[in-house]
Amino acid sequence: MILLGPVAAEAMFVNREEIPVYPIYRDPVSCFIIVDLTVHDFGFFRYDPAAIQFLSYEEIPLAPEAACVGLEIRVVGNDSGEKVSFLLLMLLLLGPNGCEKAASGTKGGSSGSPVIDCQGRAVALNAGGERSSSSSAFFFPLERGRDSCQDKWEAVTIPRGTVQATFVHKGFDETRRLGLQSETEQVCSFYSTLLIVDSVVSLSISVVKLLSTGSAVCLWLPSSWACCRCQVITQFLKMETLLDDSVGQNVELEFERGGTSLTVQLVVEDLHTITPNYFLEVSSAVMHPLSYQQARNFRFHCGLVYVSEPGSYMLYRAGVPRHAIIKRLADEDISNLEDFINVLSKLSRGARVPLVYINYNGRHRKMSVLVTVDRHEWYASPQIYTRDDGSGIWIGKPALLPNSQLISSGAIQVGNGVASMDTSTSEHVQEESNNGTKKRRLGEEDASADGTMIAEVEDSTSPGNTVMSDDHDTSADSGNASVAERVIEPTLVMLTAVFLHPVHNYAVIAYDPSALGPAEPALRRGESVYLVGLSSRSLQATSRKSVVTNPCAALQISSAESPRYRETNMEVIELDTDFGSSFSGVLTDEHGRVKAIWASFSFQLKYGLNSSQNHQCVRGIPVHSVSQVLNKIISGTKGPSRIINGIKRPMPLVRVLEVEFYCTLLSKARSFGLSNNWIQALAKKDPVRRQVLQVNGCLAGSKAENLLEQGDMVLAIDKNPVTCFNDLEDACHALDMHDDMDAKLELTIFRQGSEMEICVGTDVRDGNGTTRVINWCGCFVQDPHPAVRALGFLPQEGHGVYVTRYGFDPFLQNCSLDLQSASLGTLKNLVSCRGSIGSPVHRYGLYPHRWIVEVNGKPTPDLDAFVNVTKEIEDGEFVRVRTVHFNGKPEVLTLKQDLHYWPTWELSFDPETAIWHRKTIKSIETGDSL
């Protein structure tokens, strides 16, 4: 299929030979409509005949004039995926529109197949089935295709004319009701139908008034053919031919409207000039001039700035949907893509500017949103991609000059972090930009649903002011959103993420100024608390009273289908009131002292074997562990530095025991053989919980992996009994007082009826999470994150190159100009299984959730080795890849590298500045960049 956007295609012959083919021509979609059928456009691929080495083949001559009713034909194609199928048919109808029909019953896979007569000539192309019937199919006539092919062969420009009007066929019964005069019907009585204007798309209002819907077109008088007799036009093919021969000329069109004959002069425009051959990619969003085809669908004029794909950052997070038309940016009018680029070049990174757009389903209402210009360095600089029909590829070049403000401005350090904004406007923007689509904003945007704030500071002006934010979305797990934003009435406060807990997934965020008071001792059962937070819509402070029913409920969340963050080893607070999942905040006592964070937790419920659904619950997180991290940040700690509000501060390292535990009641532990002495000791230590911790599993590659076994009961650490998860964290925290990074915990465990003493090493994590991701051939590879390691398996051959997903990269997710409303996905979370249409890994089946252990026979134990091996592979080369799945099953597959549309690039995280940087590793334009 030849799309109007970038296309990378290969042709496979009957003997399974593959050769690359390049699109060199795309015919604009016809502006004529057949009832129950959209007329297929067509295009041409170029290939090298010498590349076919083992197959003898002949060309099929085109003979559209041979088509006639009753002709015996064959449809040669891949019907329903069956290779080289032959369907015996007979032409049943040759319509006045030139479209042919047969009772073929063709199905998916046969579109574009040649329709062959008994002499081996192609008389048509299979176009598609009728909507109302699966037994009939329409064939595309070849007159226009044959002429275009001849022009292309002779290097002649293929003319395509249009008056920006859509025509349909109507019978005389309906044209009479539209006011067709009897004299005109008598002249046209030889024909069964007439052409009726269905719609008009033009920038000129006068043209719309001259040629309006419902006009019956009967006569055509080209100005250059004044001496010719009037021609009655009732067929699409004849109309197309006359339009194509009159590009750039004035033509006279005679028609009837409401019983009145009219003659107008119109300029025939070049359809190629109003069909965009370039697009702008900025922050993973794709915009291009509105094409005639979409202008006809949406009833806008051509050339407006059209959002083909909002991407995953700048436009998406502002709520700008697909199919939007941008009207203003930064208080400047936008009438075309050049205006948009000009305004964009004046903006600096991190700037927040207003953007006004309209949507086709709400054209009479303008939507206003605030757009944050990309400052995360996740995406390449804005690029303009232009189609080169000579080579069949799209050539990219910078859209902005090197000295433009957006390119020259570096990352902006947030000073006081306060930007004034009316909260009522923010509410309006959020409601208006949803456009009926249910989508949850990322945690850095949603000020009420998933994020809550708590500060523990010395004074209101200290740079150590911090915010603790809960986020169950993978945006927090992947790490490292450098700047977030929250509405703290009456202003919009810019927040800087400084630490992400590697186990509990809460983020510590710095802002200036504010403080909410110190934390207090843990809550008790039956104690009254107040849930204080922001309402989900009005963002107004709300307080609700409740009673604690369980201050130490063990949270157990099972693994999801795709490895993703899940909370482990945490006790939460439960209340007697269900406030729903859309309200969050902090739990305080009657004096306003913060006791806990009221946060949401995501989990997955499975229905049957193959279906599951995401859910969330809201519970309280005690501030005990939060206080430990905040104290380290405020008082200083040994760890990597990060710039917070202009001051470089060390970030804490969290020592963890990479083991997942679950709680077992002492009554059950007795049944496992635990002695009475230990039961009494544990009950004395914690008379409320009366439980013991059991090992559920160790993270693969951890220091505890070969020492602890599933089912082990942990009785004591360093001779001190342990009964809850906080005891484990306190024991690990105590090791931080020593300088020994390899410090171990002395555990007393109960295993299979025996007590034993073992020393288990701990692991030290920072809050950065994933700091390096490589995109190769359309898939994302990285070191396995903890959710993957929690499954308990890492391949022995090497586990440093894990395929976390294959998906739309910031450029190629948008590689198709959206002229036919093709459905394209958007960039989802890092562990999703959504595929990227057309990428090499999608085409050849390199699916996620596996490790790449060899490339072309060379081991790839880590990302550096993987980069060194793939850098040696050139564009168009086949690559042999050996992978290992979660279940340990190895698989070898091959794929063909495409560096033009799928270059190799890398995202790396700078821990000091908390900014992501994108670097091209290898592409056709740059070659080897490292």
Side-chain angles (χ1 to χ4, degrees):
M1 177 183 295
I2 299 182
L3 301 175
L4 293 182
V7 174
E10 294 177 346
M12 179 180 292
F13 290 82
V14 66
N15 64 341
R16 295 286 182 171
E17 279 192 75
E18 282 185 329
I19 62 171
V21 292
Y22 305 96
I24 58 175
Y25 179 71
R26 302 157 171 83
D27 198 66
V29 179
S30 174
C31 60
F32 306 104
I33 297 177
I34 305 171
V35 177
D36 290 333
L37 177 71
T38 300
V39 177
H40 270 224
D41 53 346
F42 61 90
F44 301 135
F45 280 112
R46 172 180 58 84
Y47 72 97
D48 182 9
I52 307 174
Q53 303 178 9
F54 309 104
L55 179 67
S56 298
Y57 65 95
E58 297 180 0
E59 66 180 29
I60 300 176
L62 305 181
E65 67 281 352
C68 60
V69 175
L71 178 67
E72 186 175 334
I73 55 176
R74 301 288 192 277
V75 177
V76 183
N78 302 325
D79 194 59
S80 295
E82 181 182 352
K83 300 296 182 182
V84 197
S85 59
F86 293 84
L87 298 179
L88 174 62
L89 308 170
M90 181 177 294
L91 281 181
L92 302 179
L93 175 66
L94 293 180
N97 46 49
C99 189
E100 302 153 9
K101 184 177 180 181
S104 65
T106 56
K107 302 178 181 64
S110 61
S111 181
S113 301
V115 180
I116 308 297
D117 66 359
C118 59
Q119 300 181 34
R121 301 174 299 177
V123 298
L125 292 180
N126 186 30
E130 189 175 7
R131 296 178 184 176
S132 60
S133 175
S134 60
S135 62
S136 298
F138 289 98
F139 299 144
F140 183 74
L142 291 177
E143 286 86 351
R144 306 298 294 162
R146 179 184 59 182
D147 297 341
S148 300
C149 184
Q150 184 65 27
D151 291 342
K152 196 67 179 178
W153 181 262
E154 297 175 357
V156 177
T157 302
I158 301 175
R160 284 294 179 264
T162 181
V163 290
Q164 295 199 32
T166 303
F167 302 89
V168 296
H169 274 287
K170 297 293 182 181
F172 285 105
D173 55 339
E174 188 165 350
T175 56
R176 293 191 199 101
R177 294 193 293 269
L178 292 174
L180 184 66
Q181 301 180 27
S182 300
E183 296 80 2
T184 306
E185 182 178 350
Q186 184 176 0
V187 173
C188 304
S189 59
F190 177 77
Y191 308 98
S192 59
T193 60
L194 292 180
L195 294 180
I196 303 297
V197 179
D198 182 71
S199 64
V200 178
V201 178
S202 178
L203 181 61
S204 173
I205 299 179
S206 60
V207 174
V208 178
K209 290 182 178 180
L210 290 174
L211 196 63
S212 61
T213 302
S215 302
V217 180
C218 299
L219 304 176
W220 178 273
L221 294 93
S223 298
S224 57
W225 302 342
C227 59
C228 299
R229 297 179 57 187
C230 297
Q231 304 181 55
V232 177
I233 306 298
T234 62
Q235 294 183 344
F236 289 158
L237 182 60
K238 201 170 186 179
M239 173 74 84
E240 285 183 321
T241 302
L242 292 174
L243 285 174
D244 294 345
D245 293 339
S246 306
V247 173
Q249 303 178 21
N250 289 331
V251 297
E252 290 184 355
L253 190 66
E254 183 177 342
F255 60 91
E256 289 190 6
R257 181 191 304 156
T260 303
S261 297
L262 301 172
T263 301
V264 298
Q265 279 201 354
L266 298 176
V267 177
V268 179
E269 300 180 66
D270 188 353
L271 190 55
H272 292 299
T273 62
I274 56 177
T275 300
N277 63 345
Y278 66 97
F279 63 87
L280 169 69
E281 185 270 327
V282 52
S283 295
S284 81
V286 165
M287 290 160 281
H288 60 76
L290 184 65
S291 66
Y292 164 68
Q293 290 79 16
Q294 285 292 54
R296 177 172 60 88
N297 292 334
F298 298 156
R299 297 289 295 164
F300 293 120
H301 62 77
C302 301
L304 298 175
V305 180
Y306 171 75
V307 179
S308 173
E309 175 61 45
S312 58
Y313 180 67
M314 190 175 77
L315 297 185
Y316 172 80
R317 71 195 296 260
V320 179
R322 295 182 68 217
H323 313 309
I325 303 295
I326 297 178
K327 303 296 290 183
R328 290 177 63 86
L329 177 65
D331 296 325
E332 295 190 30
D333 292 334
I334 303 297
S335 59
N336 51 52
L337 195 60
E338 288 70 24
D339 291 344
F340 185 90
I341 296 174
N342 183 46
V343 175
L344 188 66
S345 64
K346 302 176 184 178
L347 304 176
S348 60
R349 294 175 183 248
R352 291 178 57 84
V353 295
L355 181 144
V356 178
Y357 71 92
I358 56 177
N359 207 358
Y360 71 95
N361 56 0
R363 64 181 63 246
H364 303 297
R365 297 183 61 190
K366 292 183 178 180
M367 307 295 181
S368 179
V369 297
L370 284 175
V371 173
T372 303
V373 180
D374 176 26
R375 54 166 297 189
H376 284 171
E377 300 291 346
W378 290 357
Y379 308 110
S381 58
Q383 299 282 316
I384 284 285
Y385 292 89
T386 306
R387 189 180 70 226
D388 181 9
D389 288 329
S391 61
I393 62 177
W394 290 68
I395 309 299
K397 65 178 183 180
L400 307 179
L401 297 176
N403 58 353
S404 65
Q405 192 168 355
L406 181 61
I407 300 298
S408 59
S409 60
I412 301 174
Q413 289 295 332
V414 179
N416 58 8
V418 179
S420 178
M421 189 189 74
D422 186 358
T423 55
S424 62
T425 303
S426 176
E427 176 190 354
H428 168 75
V429 169
Q430 181 177 2
E431 292 180 359
E432 295 293 343
S433 61
N434 283 335
N435 294 303
T437 303
K438 291 185 177 180
K439 65 172 182 279
R440 181 187 168 277
R441 301 261 184 146
L442 296 181
E444 64 178 20
E445 296 177 335
D446 190 349
S448 61
D450 293 303
T452 59
M453 299 182 229
I454 175 175
E456 180 154 312
V457 298
E458 297 173 352
D459 57 76
S460 60
T461 60
S462 169
N465 288 348
T466 53
V467 172
M468 203 294 293
S469 172
D470 147 70
D471 237 324
H472 65 70
D473 208 345
T474 32
S475 61
D477 187 42
S478 62
N480 336 23
S482 59
V483 174
E485 51 195 35
R486 297 284 184 188
V487 176
I488 302 179
E489 292 190 57
T491 60
L492 181 77
V493 178
M494 300 303 294
L495 310 175
T496 302
V498 297
F499 183 79
L500 180 66
H501 198 283
V503 176
H504 299 311
N505 199 39
Y506 61 78
V508 177
I509 300 174
Y511 70 99
D512 184 27
S514 189
L516 299 180
E520 291 293 321
L523 293 171
R524 299 185 300 273
R525 192 186 308 271
E527 186 175 350
S528 296
V529 292
Y530 294 85
L531 176 57
V532 181
L534 300 178
S535 60
S536 59
R537 290 189 176 273
S538 63
L539 300 180
Q540 300 295 322
T542 305
S543 175
R544 303 179 183 181
K545 187 177 180 180
S546 185
V547 176
V548 176
T549 57
N550 190 347
C552 51
L555 186 66
Q556 296 291 335
I557 299 178
S558 58
S559 299
E561 292 181 347
S562 298
R564 68 182 189 186
Y565 171 80
R566 61 186 179 92
E567 185 61 76
T568 58
N569 300 345
M570 174 174 278
E571 292 179 345
V572 295
I573 299 171
E574 295 179 346
L575 304 180
D576 67 343
T577 305
D578 183 9
F579 295 116
S581 59
S582 61
F583 186 86
S584 60
V586 295
L587 296 180
T588 69
D589 59 12
E590 59 183 1
H591 302 292
R593 293 171 297 191
V594 176
K595 296 287 188 175
I597 311 300
W598 193 245
S600 62
F601 299 89
S602 176
F603 60 94
Q604 196 173 73
L605 291 180
K606 295 183 179 180
Y607 301 95
L609 296 177
N610 301 319
S611 61
S612 61
Q613 188 174 358
N614 292 326
H615 294 269
Q616 63 179 5
C617 63
V618 187
R619 299 290 186 269
I621 301 178
V623 296
H624 172 73
S625 61
V626 180
S627 299
Q628 293 179 350
V629 174
L630 292 182
N631 290 333
K632 289 182 179 180
I633 295 177
I634 295 173
S635 61
T637 183
K638 295 180 180 180
S641 299
R642 177 162 301 171
I643 299 175
I644 306 174
N645 295 334
I647 299 177
K648 183 179 292 187
R649 284 178 169 269
M651 290 294 101
L653 297 175
V654 177
R655 188 181 297 273
V656 297
L657 185 62
E658 292 192 326
V659 181
E660 182 179 350
F661 294 93
Y662 64 95
C663 301
T664 300
L665 295 176
L666 292 179
S667 57
K668 290 186 177 180
R670 187 189 302 273
S671 301
F672 281 102
L674 187 62
S675 65
N676 289 331
N677 293 335
W678 273 111
I679 290 178
Q680 292 176 6
L682 296 176
K684 182 179 180 180
K685 169 70 169 53
D686 192 346
V688 176
R689 295 180 178 87
R690 302 183 64 84
Q691 64 186 19
V692 65
L693 298 181
Q694 276 193 278
V695 175
N696 188 38
C698 299
L699 271 67
S702 66
K703 296 179 181 179
E705 181 181 16
N706 298 321
L707 297 175
L708 293 176
E709 298 179 2
Q710 186 174 9
D712 288 349
M713 296 183 186
V714 178
L715 307 177
I717 298 179
D718 297 331
K719 307 301 182 180
N720 297 317
V722 295
T723 59
C724 62
F725 301 133
N726 286 340
D727 294 340
L728 293 174
E729 291 191 2
D730 291 341
C732 292
H733 182 65
L735 294 181
D736 291 337
M737 304 302 174
H738 309 284
D739 295 333
D740 186 7
M741 298 297 292
D742 296 326
K744 297 182 179 181
L745 295 175
E746 184 179 344
L747 302 184
T748 303
I749 65 172
F750 179 79
R751 177 187 299 170
Q752 297 179 359
S754 303
E755 296 179 17
M756 58 183 64
E757 304 284 339
I758 59 174
C759 289
V760 180
T762 55
D763 295 88
V764 178
R765 296 187 194 173
D766 55 27
N768 295 328
T770 298
T771 59
R772 189 183 183 190
V773 178
I774 295 174
N775 185 287
W776 177 69
C777 291
C779 71
F780 290 92
V781 297
Q782 65 171 88
D783 288 326
H785 47 84
V788 176
R789 297 171 53 215
L791 298 178
F793 172 75
L794 291 176
Q796 297 180 354
E797 299 91 333
H799 49 76
V801 184
Y802 171 69
V803 183
T804 190
R805 78 183 300 271
Y806 65 99
F808 296 97
D809 104 325
F811 156 51
L812 285 160
Q813 65 170 329
N814 313 304
C815 64
S816 176
L817 296 186
D818 191 11
L819 302 184
Q820 292 296 309
S821 301
S823 175
L824 293 177
T826 56
L827 187 61
K828 300 297 181 184
N829 60 60
L830 199 59
V831 296
S832 69
C833 300
R834 194 176 181 90
S836 57
I837 300 175
S839 67
V841 296
H842 171 260
R843 185 183 306 175
Y844 295 98
L846 179 57
Y847 299 118
H849 307 157
R850 62 189 65 204
W851 287 266
I852 298 178
V853 296
E854 285 184 7
V855 175
N856 286 342
K858 299 180 180 179
T860 55
D862 51 43
L863 292 178
D864 290 332
F866 179 79
V867 170
N868 293 333
V869 173
T870 55
K871 280 166 54 178
E872 301 174 358
I873 304 172
E874 300 299 330
D875 179 63
E877 288 189 16
F878 274 95
V879 186
R880 187 175 69 257
V881 180
R882 185 171 182 267
T883 65
V884 178
H885 196 262
F886 276 145
N887 57 13
K889 179 180 178 181
E891 181 181 2
V892 177
L893 54 88
T894 59
L895 59 86
K896 188 175 183 181
Q897 184 166 253
D898 182 355
L899 290 177
H900 182 79
Y901 293 118
W902 302 92
T904 305
W905 52 268
E906 172 185 342
L907 284 177
S908 58
F909 179 72
D910 183 1
E912 182 169 322
T913 60
I915 295 177
W916 286 88
H917 298 278
R918 171 171 169 150
K919 177 174 57 178
T920 300
I921 297 177
K922 188 165 187 177
S923 65
I924 289 182
E925 291 80 4
T926 60
D928 191 350
S929 298
L930 295 181

